Amino acid sequence: MKITVLAGGVGGARFVRGVREECARRWPAEAGAEPAAADGTAATSADVTVVVNTGDDLWLSGVRLMPDFDSLLYALAGVNDAERGWGRAGESERVAAELREWGVGWPWFTLGDLDLGTHLARTSWLRDGLTPSQVAERLQRRWRLGVRLVPATDAEVDTHVRIDPGHPDAGGRAELHFQEWWTRYRAAIPALGFRQRDLVDARPAPGVEAAIADADVVLLAPSNPVVSIGTILAVPGVREALAATRAPVVGVSPIIGGRVVRGMADACLSAIGVETDAAAVARHYGTRTAGGVLDAWLVDEADAAAVPGLVADGFAAASAPLWMRDTDTSAALAGAALDLAVEAAAGAAPERRG
């Protein structure tokens, strides 16, 4: 079984951990195999590749940051800060405090000391001439993850947010880096649109197109549809790969009962004219039969009433509990998505509630 997941950061990491666990339960490795991951997760015979959003990346204080990639890396290795949901466990911030004294970087964007070690290693290898995907492969050698992480592209496609320069917090600027808009202002400045730098010249990183083409199932994690999954889909070649794959493509809603699961994705959706609604996000992605990217869409039980309308629009659709509270609930969610993939592949569009 080959599974390819398109994912963003914290929510994507939780979902991928669920996929990894569910694969270990459904397709266990041979008896006696060592654990698949450093956190003790059992091994599986399934092959899981995760295509990771790179639109949140940036240069800061002279080092290259890849926040979504690192969130997945740390979570899958079992070294993430589970309380905050991002960064390393047991972190300290002495270097960040010293940088603030020197007036370097963003005082509201703290880099932990352990996390900074990752950024320094990445930057060193990039300056040695490695590509981001080669650096990603090298970073994964440190811990067993049980899956393979691949950046969506080796190009720098950092996201910028268009804003009204007359807004009181804009300081006359018509554009902010996404991280400033998201982290400093918590998306409180209305976004007029999003721009990924040099996107037109970007291409999928090595392995991305093959992972989609060779997959038995492609899953879209419940990550931000606009700046996470949306950025991956905007890399020239990715939509074409999804259109051509013979695998069913199943998306998981990041909206539950009209509310975002995490973060400020509603502010991103509003900026592109999409309602904060599970069915509206599905229609934003669209069906593959109508030029979109999905065959099937999984919504929460709270949105089960939307299933018949989605089925009428050509989606295989179902409802299941989407809240990822722990390993078991995350694995159950992954299992529901995999089950829906089977039904989508068979041409079914079932109505299922609960």
Side-chain angles (χ1 to χ4, degrees), residues 316-342:
S319 65
L322 299 192
W323 286 107
M324 295 180 286
R325 297 183 175 88
D326 51 30
T327 299
D328 287 337
T329 53
S330 297
L333 169 55
L338 292 170
D339 290 344
L340 184 55
V342 173

Side-chain angles (χ1 to χ4, degrees), residues 50 52 73 80 112 116 120-121 127 147 167 228 240 244 267 280-281 327 350:
V50 185
V52 184
L73 177 71
N80 64 312
L116 186 58
L120 288 169
R127 288 177 174 165
V147 307
H167 188 278
S228 293
E240 292 80 358
V281 174
T327 299

Side-chain angles (χ1 to χ4, degrees), residues 286-313:
T287 63
R288 286 209 289 173
T289 54
V293 298
L294 292 176
D295 296 307
W297 186 243
L298 187 66
V299 301
D300 187 74
E301 294 170 308
D303 298 301
V307 169
L310 290 167
V311 170
D313 287 346

Side-chain angles (χ1 to χ4, degrees), residues 212 233 237-247 249 288-289 291-295:
I212 294 172
L233 296 176
V238 172
R239 279 183 173 268
E240 292 80 358
L242 286 169
T245 186
R246 301 179 70 176
V249 182
R288 286 209 289 173
T289 54
V293 298
L294 292 176
D295 296 307

Side-chain angles (χ1 to χ4, degrees), residues 147-189:
V147 307
R148 180 170 66 109
L149 305 179
V150 183
T153 179
D154 279 340
E156 293 185 3
V157 293
D158 305 15
T159 300
H160 291 76
V161 185
R162 290 191 294 107
I163 61 172
D164 179 359
H167 188 278
D169 291 324
R173 295 174 293 175
E175 203 171 75
L176 300 175
H177 189 282
F178 173 76
Q179 291 292 354
E180 182 172 8
W181 178 75
W182 187 263
T183 306
R184 183 180 186 183
Y185 294 109
R186 306 299 295 171
I189 303 176

